[in-house]
Amino acid sequence: YKNIIINGDMSQAQRATTASSITAGGYHTVDRWYNHFDSCGTWTLSQDTDVPTGQGFATSLKMDNTTADASPAVGDVVRIWQKLEGQNLQHLKKGTANAEDLTCSFWVKSTKTGTFICNLYDEDNGRINSQSYTVSSSDTWEEKSVTFAGDTTGAFGNDNGSSLWLIFFVAAGTNWTSGTLATSWQSTTVANMAVGQVNCADSDSNNFWITGIQLEVGTSASDFEFL
């Protein structure tokens, strides 16, 4: 159980395997993954069988833009996230001198190339850490990993409340991108969360897929843990 994330391979979709004409946030398809839309186009979401070859995955989360938004308003955003309970995070020793580093690894495929943002949000203490990664080739599965240093400020509550969010940005208006990227832990400033993020909503030909998401202790990624 090294992977803190649940359903990182997108294999469970008890609500639905597809949802169309989506413009508002919700748990629309695959379990545990919330799709956050604040305007920024119209989308079809699905549990898809397009996966990286030879990696053991059978499904991915697909986000298909069906109505474009080439010029997002300042507050517009498209994100997916999973919230993690504090009682499952005590081994991270957050808020102590022994706070553990975390590495997030995943497979991603996108029509849109360029800079994307993966973010950790500490809900208990109002703190963020954002790391960028690059999609280099259009419509090509690529394996990525980003590392977040341990945070010696602010412990997680030892309860079943939401303490830590793992967030992947897909598009973001200037409210989210106009600051300096929060590459080290800091108090939450929205403008520092997604600096540099490309706009995957700028064409109704754009698609975004993700699978194999793993969040684990340490500074290097290991093979995905299939359970």
Side-chain angles (χ1 to χ4, degrees), residues 110-145:
S110 175
T111 309
K112 191 81 174 177
T113 61
T115 299
F116 288 73
I117 303 300
C118 178
N119 171 266
L120 289 181
Y121 169 54
D122 170 4
E123 184 176 0
D124 286 340
N125 302 285
R127 292 172 63 75
I128 56 171
N129 189 322
S130 296
Q131 301 297 322
S132 64
Y133 64 95
T134 301
V135 172
S136 302
S137 300
S138 179
D139 283 329
T140 303
W141 280 105
E142 298 176 359
E143 187 177 19
K144 306 295 179 182
S145 68

Side-chain angles (χ1 to χ4, degrees), residues 39-152:
S39 299
C40 223
T42 304
W43 299 77
T44 293
L45 309 173
S46 59
Q47 182 192 47
D48 201 49
T49 56
D50 189 338
V51 293
T53 302
Q55 302 301 320
F57 301 110
T59 50
S60 62
L61 171 62
K62 179 183 180 181
M63 303 176 66
D64 176 13
N65 181 255
T66 57
T67 302
D69 185 353
S71 299
V74 294
D76 288 0
V77 68
V78 179
R79 304 184 289 175
I80 63 171
W81 69 55
Q82 184 170 137
K83 296 183 180 183
L84 305 168
E85 297 177 8
Q87 62 191 0
N88 296 331
L89 304 172
Q90 297 304 302
H91 65 293
L92 303 184
K93 311 182 197 77
K94 191 174 181 297
T96 77
N98 298 318
E100 299 281 3
D101 299 333
L102 285 170
T103 293
C104 181
S105 55
F106 51 95
W107 285 86
V108 65
K109 177 179 175 180
S110 175
T111 309
K112 191 81 174 177
T113 61
T115 299
F116 288 73
I117 303 300
C118 178
N119 171 266
L120 289 181
Y121 169 54
D122 170 4
E123 184 176 0
D124 286 340
N125 302 285
R127 292 172 63 75
I128 56 171
N129 189 322
S130 296
Q131 301 297 322
S132 64
Y133 64 95
T134 301
V135 172
S136 302
S137 300
S138 179
D139 283 329
T140 303
W141 280 105
E142 298 176 359
E143 187 177 19
K144 306 295 179 182
S145 68
V146 294
T147 296
F148 303 87
D151 187 12
T152 58

